[in-house]
Amino acid sequence: MNVTELRVGLIGLGMMGRHHARVVREVEGLELVAVADAGGDPHGVAGDLPVVGDVHELIGVGIDAAVCAVPTGFHEEVGIALAEAGVPTLIEKPIAHSVEAGARLVDAFAANNVVGAVGHIERYNPALQSLRDRMAAGELGEMYQIATRRQGPFPARIADVGVVKDLATHDIDLTAWLAKSEYTTVSAQVTTRSGRPHEDMVAATGRLTNGIITNHLVNWLSPMKERVTVVTGERGAFVADTVSADLTFYANGVVSTEWDSVAAFRGVAEGDVTRFAIPKREPLRVEHEKFRDAVLGVGNDVVTLQEGQNTLRTAEELLASAGSLTAAGEA
């Protein structure tokens, strides 16, 4: 791709910031020219670049685009400053700490006619990309349910939000994206077992506008890491493992049986199982390429700020549901 390199500034040099720094340096058409973090550079990602203290100093360096990887509570302040400076920005998910803050971010970028995107990276996982294409091609037929499991140990990087806004927002976003339909209702149960102020386990159900039902199990309390999406429909079920980026299709059986007790079952039967061979590119790299293209006006395959806001709103509705159910149970 022969383009003038975009001068990119990165603010937030924590666990995600270090990955953004690496990928920006690898992607054609991007040049990392400035980094910022009030807490310094704990992972040594700056290299030869000076570490400035805040977003205003970052803007002052002269940048064409920015990546915002600061803690969620600072997304609004940093994002609005970048929007008002006319700097296209990729904001790590969730878009903000609250729906009200997210709305102000959406408005700021729209008012200044600046490209904004949210880093819901799972959309760029090769297994989910292939799954969405196959669903759109009708390989599953009518869709019935999307179920996700996102479980693993507690991450040291998270301090300011719970598992719903940190992890479950991945599942909310990818579910609406796969189904091309937003949520209409959600209900959830949460618990807090780690001694922190925010929830660390959630079991959620929902329904989308197009009638698909959803189920999400998300926690920071599991000793094994699991990232699985199962889409069930009239022709079978797709299973996407986003850790290994594998996609498998379990087809409904079409072979008749002479075993009376089985033949009498008026449901589906096990059929062929197909594991697809798909190209496996790093999702974060693809995300940055799509953001670069959006900034250059040659593509629009990014998670928009409004989509990020929709996801955050659903997450807050989920938490509100869990709170009301808990209150009712204690009454």
Side-chain angles (χ1 to χ4, degrees):
M1 181 176 182
N2 296 317
V3 298
T4 301
E5 286 193 337
L6 295 173
R7 292 169 53 83
V8 178
L10 166 64
I11 182 165
L13 303 180
M15 294 296 286
M16 276 307 298
R18 65 175 180 169
H19 294 300
H20 282 294
R22 171 182 58 82
V23 172
V24 169
R25 287 181 167 119
E26 294 173 351
V27 171
E28 185 179 3
L30 300 180
E31 179 187 4
L32 186 64
V33 299
V35 296
D37 195 308
D41 184 15
H43 303 290
V45 304
D48 296 333
L49 301 173
V51 181
V52 301
D54 60 30
V55 66
H56 301 290
E57 291 182 68
L58 186 73
I59 293 167
V61 172
I63 54 178
D64 303 314
V67 178
C68 174
V70 297
T72 307
F74 297 105
H75 285 189
E76 179 186 6
E77 175 187 349
V78 170
I80 289 177
L82 289 163
E84 292 179 345
V87 179
T89 305
L90 172 62
I91 302 173
E92 259 304 331
K93 61 86 200 154
I95 182 175
H97 66 282
S98 70
V99 166
E100 293 77 15
R104 289 189 286 269
L105 276 168
V106 172
D107 291 344
F109 277 84
N112 290 281
N113 195 28
V114 178
V115 173
V118 184
H120 284 291
I121 193 172
E122 286 286 58
R123 286 203 193 183
Y124 304 103
N125 187 284
L128 293 176
Q129 291 263 318
S130 179
L131 170 55
R132 191 172 192 252
D133 289 344
R134 293 177 184 279
M135 290 166 62
E139 294 184 21
L140 191 58
E142 184 182 357
M143 290 178 286
Y144 302 153
Q145 181 188 54
I146 299 177
T148 67
R149 301 191 304 274
R150 188 173 301 273
Q151 308 177 96
F154 196 92
R157 62 184 175 82
I158 297 300
D160 59 343
V161 294
V163 73
V164 170
K165 289 187 178 179
D166 180 61
L167 281 191
T169 48
H170 279 307
D171 298 295
I172 293 168
D173 177 73
L174 73 85
T175 295
W177 174 70
L178 284 172
K180 301 180 181 180
S181 182
E182 294 294 336
Y183 285 78
T184 57
T185 59
V186 289
S187 180
Q189 299 280 357
V190 300
T191 190
T192 303
R193 301 290 181 176
S194 63
R196 289 173 175 258
H198 302 291
E199 80 291 341
D200 43 37
M201 176 177 279
V202 59
T205 60
R207 182 179 292 273
L208 305 182
T209 303
N210 60 9
I212 294 174
I213 60 174
T214 69
N215 176 274
H216 309 299
L217 297 177
V218 189
N219 73 65
W220 281 325
L221 301 175
S222 173
M224 80 287 186
K225 185 174 182 178
E226 185 179 38
R227 303 286 188 268
V228 176
T229 299
V230 181
V231 183
T232 304
E234 63 176 321
R235 296 179 182 171
F238 279 106
V239 178
D241 184 326
T242 54
V243 173
S244 61
D246 289 329
L247 180 64
T248 305
F249 181 58
Y250 295 81
N252 291 345
V254 294
V255 179
S256 61
T257 178
E258 297 178 1
W259 185 4
D260 292 342
S261 61
V262 174
F265 172 62
R266 304 177 69 85
V268 302
E270 294 181 1
D272 295 334
V273 179
T274 304
R275 181 171 173 270
F276 298 101
I278 55 179
K280 296 181 179 181
R281 302 188 66 223
E282 182 183 2
L284 189 60
R285 185 183 181 95
V286 177
E287 181 178 66
H288 274 280
E289 291 173 350
K290 299 298 186 183
F291 176 61
R292 172 202 63 196
D293 293 347
V295 173
L296 294 173
V298 295
N300 60 357
D301 188 11
V302 296
V303 183
T304 66
L305 295 183
Q306 186 59 59
E307 288 175 316
Q309 175 72 346
N310 294 345
T311 294
L312 179 59
R313 181 179 294 108
T314 299
E316 291 204 351
E317 289 172 352
L318 190 156
L319 287 169
S321 165
S324 64
L325 290 173
T326 300
E330 294 173 349

mmCIF file of all heavy atoms in Angstrom, residues 187-226:
data_model
loop_
_atom_site.group_PDB
_atom_site.id
_atom_site.type_symbol
_atom_site.label_atom_id
_atom_site.label_comp_id
_atom_site.label_asym_id
_atom_site.label_seq_id
_atom_site.Cartn_x
_atom_site.Cartn_y
_atom_site.Cartn_z
ATOM 1 N N SER A 187 -31.117 -9.812 30.566
ATOM 2 C CA SER A 187 -31.308 -10.136 31.968
ATOM 3 C C SER A 187 -30.052 -10.837 32.452
ATOM 4 O O SER A 187 -29.426 -11.586 31.692
ATOM 5 C CB SER A 187 -32.534 -11.048 32.154
ATOM 6 O OG SER A 187 -32.710 -11.366 33.526
ATOM 7 N N ALA A 188 -29.661 -10.599 33.697
ATOM 8 C CA ALA A 188 -28.388 -11.155 34.145
ATOM 9 C C ALA A 188 -28.354 -11.400 35.638
ATOM 10 O O ALA A 188 -29.111 -10.807 36.411
ATOM 11 C CB ALA A 188 -27.251 -10.216 33.756
ATOM 12 N N GLN A 189 -27.451 -12.288 36.020
ATOM 13 C CA GLN A 189 -27.069 -12.500 37.406
ATOM 14 C C GLN A 189 -25.573 -12.234 37.504
ATOM 15 O O GLN A 189 -24.811 -12.663 36.639
ATOM 16 C CB GLN A 189 -27.363 -13.942 37.838
ATOM 17 C CG GLN A 189 -28.817 -14.344 37.775
ATOM 18 C CD GLN A 189 -29.614 -13.844 38.968
ATOM 19 O OE1 GLN A 189 -29.059 -13.235 39.883
ATOM 20 N NE2 GLN A 189 -30.918 -14.092 38.971
ATOM 21 N N VAL A 190 -25.145 -11.524 38.548
ATOM 22 C CA VAL A 190 -23.718 -11.271 38.753
ATOM 23 C C VAL A 190 -23.337 -11.644 40.175
ATOM 24 O O VAL A 190 -24.197 -11.756 41.066
ATOM 25 C CB VAL A 190 -23.339 -9.786 38.503
ATOM 26 C CG1 VAL A 190 -23.664 -9.368 37.088
ATOM 27 C CG2 VAL A 190 -24.021 -8.875 39.507
ATOM 28 N N THR A 191 -22.033 -11.843 40.367
ATOM 29 C CA THR A 191 -21.523 -12.058 41.707
ATOM 30 C C THR A 191 -20.128 -11.454 41.810
ATOM 31 O O THR A 191 -19.464 -11.248 40.788
ATOM 32 C CB THR A 191 -21.494 -13.558 42.075
ATOM 33 O OG1 THR A 191 -21.210 -13.696 43.465
ATOM 34 C CG2 THR A 191 -20.440 -14.304 41.270
ATOM 35 N N THR A 192 -19.720 -11.162 43.036
ATOM 36 C CA THR A 192 -18.386 -10.606 43.294
ATOM 37 C C THR A 192 -17.705 -11.486 44.325
ATOM 38 O O THR A 192 -18.155 -11.570 45.469
ATOM 39 C CB THR A 192 -18.486 -9.163 43.823
ATOM 40 O OG1 THR A 192 -19.206 -8.368 42.874
ATOM 41 C CG2 THR A 192 -17.098 -8.558 44.025
ATOM 42 N N ARG A 193 -16.629 -12.152 43.910
ATOM 43 C CA ARG A 193 -15.950 -13.106 44.792
ATOM 44 C C ARG A 193 -14.494 -12.756 45.061
ATOM 45 O O ARG A 193 -13.862 -13.388 45.893
ATOM 46 C CB ARG A 193 -16.012 -14.499 44.160
ATOM 47 C CG ARG A 193 -17.420 -15.007 43.904
ATOM 48 C CD ARG A 193 -18.139 -15.340 45.189
ATOM 49 N NE ARG A 193 -19.482 -15.851 44.952
ATOM 50 C CZ ARG A 193 -20.292 -16.294 45.909
ATOM 51 N NH1 ARG A 193 -19.879 -16.275 47.166
ATOM 52 N NH2 ARG A 193 -21.501 -16.736 45.620
ATOM 53 N N SER A 194 -13.952 -11.766 44.347
ATOM 54 C CA SER A 194 -12.518 -11.492 44.439
ATOM 55 C C SER A 194 -12.165 -10.430 45.467
ATOM 56 O O SER A 194 -10.988 -10.133 45.663
ATOM 57 C CB SER A 194 -11.994 -11.060 43.065
ATOM 58 O OG SER A 194 -12.609 -9.846 42.663
ATOM 59 N N GLY A 195 -13.188 -9.845 46.097
ATOM 60 C CA GLY A 195 -12.917 -8.814 47.085
ATOM 61 C C GLY A 195 -12.768 -7.426 46.499
ATOM 62 O O GLY A 195 -12.510 -6.462 47.221
ATOM 63 N N ARG A 196 -12.931 -7.287 45.186
ATOM 64 C CA ARG A 196 -12.859 -5.984 44.538
ATOM 65 C C ARG A 196 -14.254 -5.356 44.496
ATOM 66 O O ARG A 196 -15.259 -6.038 44.697
ATOM 67 C CB ARG A 196 -12.293 -6.128 43.127
ATOM 68 C CG ARG A 196 -10.808 -6.469 43.116
ATOM 69 C CD ARG A 196 -10.309 -6.765 41.714
ATOM 70 N NE ARG A 196 -8.861 -6.966 41.706
ATOM 71 C CZ ARG A 196 -7.979 -6.062 41.310
ATOM 72 N NH1 ARG A 196 -8.396 -4.892 40.878
ATOM 73 N NH2 ARG A 196 -6.695 -6.322 41.335
ATOM 74 N N PRO A 197 -14.343 -4.054 44.191
ATOM 75 C CA PRO A 197 -15.656 -3.399 44.235
ATOM 76 C C PRO A 197 -16.580 -3.750 43.068
ATOM 77 O O PRO A 197 -17.774 -3.482 43.138
ATOM 78 C CB PRO A 197 -15.309 -1.902 44.216
ATOM 79 C CG PRO A 197 -13.958 -1.837 43.574
ATOM 80 C CD PRO A 197 -13.245 -3.081 44.011
ATOM 81 N N HIS A 198 -16.045 -4.328 42.000
ATOM 82 C CA HIS A 198 -16.867 -4.606 40.823
ATOM 83 C C HIS A 198 -17.111 -6.103 40.649
ATOM 84 O O HIS A 198 -16.364 -6.934 41.165
ATOM 85 C CB HIS A 198 -16.183 -4.062 39.566
ATOM 86 C CG HIS A 198 -15.896 -2.599 39.610
ATOM 87 N ND1 HIS A 198 -16.876 -1.648 39.567
ATOM 88 C CD2 HIS A 198 -14.725 -1.926 39.725
ATOM 89 C CE1 HIS A 198 -16.338 -0.446 39.635
ATOM 90 N NE2 HIS A 198 -15.025 -0.582 39.727
ATOM 91 N N GLU A 199 -18.165 -6.423 39.919
ATOM 92 C CA GLU A 199 -18.520 -7.821 39.673
ATOM 93 C C GLU A 199 -17.413 -8.549 38.893
ATOM 94 O O GLU A 199 -16.751 -7.952 38.059
ATOM 95 C CB GLU A 199 -19.858 -7.905 38.919
ATOM 96 C CG GLU A 199 -19.811 -7.663 37.407
ATOM 97 C CD GLU A 199 -19.491 -6.242 36.992
ATOM 98 O OE1 GLU A 199 -19.643 -5.313 37.811
ATOM 99 O OE2 GLU A 199 -19.084 -6.062 35.828
ATOM 100 N N ASP A 200 -17.233 -9.831 39.198
ATOM 101 C CA ASP A 200 -16.226 -10.605 38.482
ATOM 102 C C ASP A 200 -16.787 -11.861 37.826
ATOM 103 O O ASP A 200 -16.043 -12.678 37.290
ATOM 104 C CB ASP A 200 -15.047 -10.976 39.393
ATOM 105 C CG ASP A 200 -15.488 -11.435 40.776
ATOM 106 O OD1 ASP A 200 -16.527 -12.113 40.858
ATOM 107 O OD2 ASP A 200 -14.802 -11.107 41.758
ATOM 108 N N MET A 201 -18.120 -12.007 37.839
ATOM 109 C CA MET A 201 -18.771 -13.140 37.167
ATOM 110 C C MET A 201 -20.174 -12.727 36.760
ATOM 111 O O MET A 201 -20.882 -12.075 37.529
ATOM 112 C CB MET A 201 -18.815 -14.363 38.093
ATOM 113 C CG MET A 201 -19.553 -15.560 37.528
ATOM 114 S SD MET A 201 -19.481 -17.004 38.639
ATOM 115 C CE MET A 201 -17.847 -17.642 38.240
ATOM 116 N N VAL A 202 -20.582 -13.097 35.553
ATOM 117 C CA VAL A 202 -21.922 -12.770 35.091
ATOM 118 C C VAL A 202 -22.468 -13.906 34.225
ATOM 119 O O VAL A 202 -21.726 -14.547 33.473
ATOM 120 C CB VAL A 202 -21.943 -11.450 34.282
ATOM 121 C CG1 VAL A 202 -21.032 -11.529 33.059
ATOM 122 C CG2 VAL A 202 -23.358 -11.078 33.854
ATOM 123 N N ALA A 203 -23.743 -14.169 34.385
ATOM 124 C CA ALA A 203 -24.492 -15.060 33.503
ATOM 125 C C ALA A 203 -25.641 -14.240 32.942
ATOM 126 O O ALA A 203 -26.490 -13.759 33.700
ATOM 127 C CB ALA A 203 -25.025 -16.274 34.267
ATOM 128 N N ALA A 204 -25.644 -14.046 31.613
ATOM 129 C CA ALA A 204 -26.612 -13.134 30.996
ATOM 130 C C ALA A 204 -27.373 -13.821 29.870
ATOM 131 O O ALA A 204 -26.831 -14.678 29.165
ATOM 132 C CB ALA A 204 -25.897 -11.899 30.439
ATOM 133 N N THR A 205 -28.618 -13.434 29.707
ATOM 134 C CA THR A 205 -29.416 -13.881 28.572
ATOM 135 C C THR A 205 -30.029 -12.651 27.907
ATOM 136 O O THR A 205 -30.129 -11.584 28.521
ATOM 137 C CB THR A 205 -30.548 -14.831 29.000
ATOM 138 O OG1 THR A 205 -31.412 -14.144 29.922
ATOM 139 C CG2 THR A 205 -29.995 -16.082 29.660
ATOM 140 N N GLY A 206 -30.432 -12.810 26.651
ATOM 141 C CA GLY A 206 -31.025 -11.684 25.955
ATOM 142 C C GLY A 206 -31.761 -12.110 24.705
ATOM 143 O O GLY A 206 -31.778 -13.291 24.338
ATOM 144 N N ARG A 207 -32.356 -11.125 24.057
ATOM 145 C CA ARG A 207 -33.034 -11.340 22.779
ATOM 146 C C ARG A 207 -32.716 -10.171 21.864
ATOM 147 O O ARG A 207 -32.702 -9.018 22.301
ATOM 148 C CB ARG A 207 -34.547 -11.476 22.963
ATOM 149 C CG ARG A 207 -35.314 -11.749 21.653
ATOM 150 C CD ARG A 207 -36.808 -11.898 21.905
ATOM 151 N NE ARG A 207 -37.109 -13.101 22.646
ATOM 152 C CZ ARG A 207 -37.315 -14.301 22.094
ATOM 153 N NH1 ARG A 207 -37.233 -14.440 20.774
ATOM 154 N NH2 ARG A 207 -37.603 -15.344 22.842
ATOM 155 N N LEU A 208 -32.461 -10.479 20.592
ATOM 156 C CA LEU A 208 -32.165 -9.445 19.614
ATOM 157 C C LEU A 208 -33.422 -9.049 18.862
ATOM 158 O O LEU A 208 -34.440 -9.752 18.895
ATOM 159 C CB LEU A 208 -31.105 -9.954 18.628
ATOM 160 C CG LEU A 208 -29.799 -10.481 19.229
ATOM 161 C CD1 LEU A 208 -28.840 -10.892 18.117
ATOM 162 C CD2 LEU A 208 -29.160 -9.459 20.149
ATOM 163 N N THR A 209 -33.328 -7.937 18.157
ATOM 164 C CA THR A 209 -34.488 -7.429 17.416
ATOM 165 C C THR A 209 -35.020 -8.452 16.420
ATOM 166 O O THR A 209 -36.233 -8.552 16.205
ATOM 167 C CB THR A 209 -34.101 -6.137 16.669
ATOM 168 O OG1 THR A 209 -33.609 -5.186 17.613
ATOM 169 C CG2 THR A 209 -35.291 -5.534 15.947
ATOM 170 N N ASN A 210 -34.123 -9.229 15.818
ATOM 171 C CA ASN A 210 -34.553 -10.211 14.820
ATOM 172 C C ASN A 210 -35.028 -11.524 15.428
ATOM 173 O O ASN A 210 -35.294 -12.488 14.702
ATOM 174 C CB ASN A 210 -33.439 -10.474 13.807
ATOM 175 C CG ASN A 210 -32.175 -11.022 14.457
ATOM 176 O OD1 ASN A 210 -32.165 -11.359 15.638
ATOM 177 N ND2 ASN A 210 -31.113 -11.105 13.675
ATOM 178 N N GLY A 211 -35.127 -11.603 16.756
ATOM 179 C CA GLY A 211 -35.679 -12.783 17.417
ATOM 180 C C GLY A 211 -34.652 -13.775 17.915
ATOM 181 O O GLY A 211 -35.004 -14.711 18.650
ATOM 182 N N ILE A 212 -33.394 -13.634 17.563
ATOM 183 C CA ILE A 212 -32.356 -14.542 18.043
ATOM 184 C C ILE A 212 -32.208 -14.382 19.555
ATOM 185 O O ILE A 212 -32.192 -13.265 20.071
ATOM 186 C CB ILE A 212 -31.018 -14.255 17.346
ATOM 187 C CG1 ILE A 212 -31.110 -14.586 15.854
ATOM 188 C CG2 ILE A 212 -29.875 -15.042 17.983
ATOM 189 C CD1 ILE A 212 -29.877 -14.200 15.073
ATOM 190 N N ILE A 213 -32.106 -15.512 20.278
ATOM 191 C CA ILE A 213 -31.865 -15.446 21.712
ATOM 192 C C ILE A 213 -30.367 -15.594 21.977
ATOM 193 O O ILE A 213 -29.633 -16.183 21.182
ATOM 194 C CB ILE A 213 -32.670 -16.507 22.492
ATOM 195 C CG1 ILE A 213 -32.302 -17.928 22.033
ATOM 196 C CG2 ILE A 213 -34.160 -16.255 22.332
ATOM 197 C CD1 ILE A 213 -32.972 -19.018 22.879
ATOM 198 N N THR A 214 -29.916 -15.029 23.097
ATOM 199 C CA THR A 214 -28.485 -15.006 23.392
ATOM 200 C C THR A 214 -28.225 -15.483 24.812
ATOM 201 O O THR A 214 -29.093 -15.407 25.690
ATOM 202 C CB THR A 214 -27.903 -13.586 23.242
ATOM 203 O OG1 THR A 214 -28.414 -12.747 24.280
ATOM 204 C CG2 THR A 214 -28.254 -12.997 21.887
ATOM 205 N N ASN A 215 -27.001 -15.962 25.005
ATOM 206 C CA ASN A 215 -26.569 -16.427 26.318
ATOM 207 C C ASN A 215 -25.085 -16.131 26.454
ATOM 208 O O ASN A 215 -24.312 -16.445 25.550
ATOM 209 C CB ASN A 215 -26.844 -17.931 26.455
ATOM 210 C CG ASN A 215 -26.325 -18.482 27.764
ATOM 211 O OD1 ASN A 215 -25.166 -18.847 27.870
ATOM 212 N ND2 ASN A 215 -27.194 -18.550 28.762
ATOM 213 N N HIS A 216 -24.683 -15.515 27.560
ATOM 214 C CA HIS A 216 -23.274 -15.167 27.757
ATOM 215 C C HIS A 216 -22.825 -15.553 29.165
ATOM 216 O O HIS A 216 -23.430 -15.123 30.153
ATOM 217 C CB HIS A 216 -23.056 -13.662 27.570
ATOM 218 C CG HIS A 216 -23.629 -13.123 26.301
ATOM 219 N ND1 HIS A 216 -23.220 -13.546 25.049
ATOM 220 C CD2 HIS A 216 -24.606 -12.188 26.075
ATOM 221 C CE1 HIS A 216 -23.903 -12.893 24.117
ATOM 222 N NE2 HIS A 216 -24.756 -12.075 24.716
ATOM 223 N N LEU A 217 -21.776 -16.358 29.257
ATOM 224 C CA LEU A 217 -21.142 -16.696 30.524
ATOM 225 C C LEU A 217 -19.762 -16.051 30.520
ATOM 226 O O LEU A 217 -18.914 -16.384 29.678
ATOM 227 C CB LEU A 217 -21.018 -18.208 30.691
ATOM 228 C CG LEU A 217 -22.327 -19.004 30.745
ATOM 229 C CD1 LEU A 217 -22.023 -20.495 30.838
ATOM 230 C CD2 LEU A 217 -23.182 -18.560 31.924
ATOM 231 N N VAL A 218 -19.536 -15.125 31.441
ATOM 232 C CA VAL A 218 -18.289 -14.362 31.460
ATOM 233 C C VAL A 218 -17.782 -14.275 32.898
ATOM 234 O O VAL A 218 -18.559 -13.975 33.812
ATOM 235 C CB VAL A 218 -18.496 -12.936 30.906
ATOM 236 C CG1 VAL A 218 -17.159 -12.229 30.732
ATOM 237 C CG2 VAL A 218 -19.252 -12.969 29.574
ATOM 238 N N ASN A 219 -16.490 -14.564 33.105
ATOM 239 C CA ASN A 219 -15.956 -14.395 34.453
ATOM 240 C C ASN A 219 -14.445 -14.259 34.454
ATOM 241 O O ASN A 219 -13.766 -14.559 33.477
ATOM 242 C CB ASN A 219 -16.393 -15.546 35.368
ATOM 243 C CG ASN A 219 -15.684 -16.848 35.069
ATOM 244 O OD1 ASN A 219 -14.468 -16.964 35.240
ATOM 245 N ND2 ASN A 219 -16.430 -17.843 34.630
ATOM 246 N N TRP A 220 -13.939 -13.778 35.614
ATOM 247 C CA TRP A 220 -12.509 -13.702 35.903
ATOM 248 C C TRP A 220 -12.125 -14.717 36.971
ATOM 249 O O TRP A 220 -11.103 -14.562 37.627
ATOM 250 C CB TRP A 220 -12.169 -12.303 36.428
ATOM 251 C CG TRP A 220 -12.047 -11.248 35.388
ATOM 252 C CD1 TRP A 220 -11.570 -11.375 34.128
ATOM 253 C CD2 TRP A 220 -12.373 -9.860 35.546
ATOM 254 N NE1 TRP A 220 -11.590 -10.167 33.475
ATOM 255 C CE2 TRP A 220 -12.076 -9.215 34.321
ATOM 256 C CE3 TRP A 220 -12.876 -9.094 36.592
ATOM 257 C CZ2 TRP A 220 -12.268 -7.857 34.117
ATOM 258 C CZ3 TRP A 220 -13.072 -7.743 36.395
ATOM 259 C CH2 TRP A 220 -12.769 -7.131 35.171
ATOM 260 N N LEU A 221 -12.943 -15.741 37.163
ATOM 261 C CA LEU A 221 -12.754 -16.662 38.290
ATOM 262 C C LEU A 221 -12.461 -18.085 37.855
ATOM 263 O O LEU A 221 -12.487 -19.006 38.675
ATOM 264 C CB LEU A 221 -14.018 -16.650 39.166
ATOM 265 C CG LEU A 221 -14.409 -15.293 39.763
ATOM 266 C CD1 LEU A 221 -15.732 -15.396 40.496
ATOM 267 C CD2 LEU A 221 -13.333 -14.778 40.694
ATOM 268 N N SER A 222 -12.169 -18.278 36.593
ATOM 269 C CA SER A 222 -11.942 -19.623 36.082
ATOM 270 C C SER A 222 -10.447 -19.894 35.914
ATOM 271 O O SER A 222 -9.710 -19.041 35.418
ATOM 272 C CB SER A 222 -12.645 -19.796 34.729
ATOM 273 O OG SER A 222 -12.294 -21.038 34.161
ATOM 274 N N PRO A 223 -9.975 -21.090 36.296
ATOM 275 C CA PRO A 223 -8.553 -21.413 36.136
ATOM 276 C C PRO A 223 -8.162 -21.729 34.701
ATOM 277 O O PRO A 223 -6.977 -21.826 34.394
ATOM 278 C CB PRO A 223 -8.367 -22.640 37.027
ATOM 279 C CG PRO A 223 -9.712 -23.292 37.041
ATOM 280 C CD PRO A 223 -10.706 -22.160 37.001
ATOM 281 N N MET A 224 -9.158 -21.893 33.797
ATOM 282 C CA MET A 224 -8.821 -22.130 32.397
ATOM 283 C C MET A 224 -9.348 -20.989 31.547
ATOM 284 O O MET A 224 -10.363 -20.374 31.873
ATOM 285 C CB MET A 224 -9.385 -23.467 31.885
ATOM 286 C CG MET A 224 -10.848 -23.489 31.495
ATOM 287 S SD MET A 224 -11.973 -23.441 32.896
ATOM 288 C CE MET A 224 -13.557 -23.662 32.066
ATOM 289 N N LYS A 225 -8.613 -20.668 30.482
ATOM 290 C CA LYS A 225 -9.028 -19.591 29.584
ATOM 291 C C LYS A 225 -9.898 -20.167 28.481
ATOM 292 O O LYS A 225 -9.510 -21.121 27.798
ATOM 293 C CB LYS A 225 -7.806 -18.902 28.981
ATOM 294 C CG LYS A 225 -8.156 -17.686 28.125
ATOM 295 C CD LYS A 225 -6.905 -16.953 27.673
ATOM 296 C CE LYS A 225 -7.249 -15.704 26.859
ATOM 297 N NZ LYS A 225 -6.053 -14.949 26.447
ATOM 298 N N GLU A 226 -11.060 -19.571 28.303
ATOM 299 C CA GLU A 226 -12.015 -20.051 27.301
ATOM 300 C C GLU A 226 -12.625 -18.866 26.582
ATOM 301 O O GLU A 226 -13.071 -17.907 27.212
ATOM 302 C CB GLU A 226 -13.109 -20.882 27.982
ATOM 303 C CG GLU A 226 -14.084 -21.532 27.018
ATOM 304 C CD GLU A 226 -15.123 -22.368 27.738
ATOM 305 O OE1 GLU A 226 -15.583 -21.947 28.824
ATOM 306 O OE2 GLU A 226 -15.496 -23.428 27.216
#
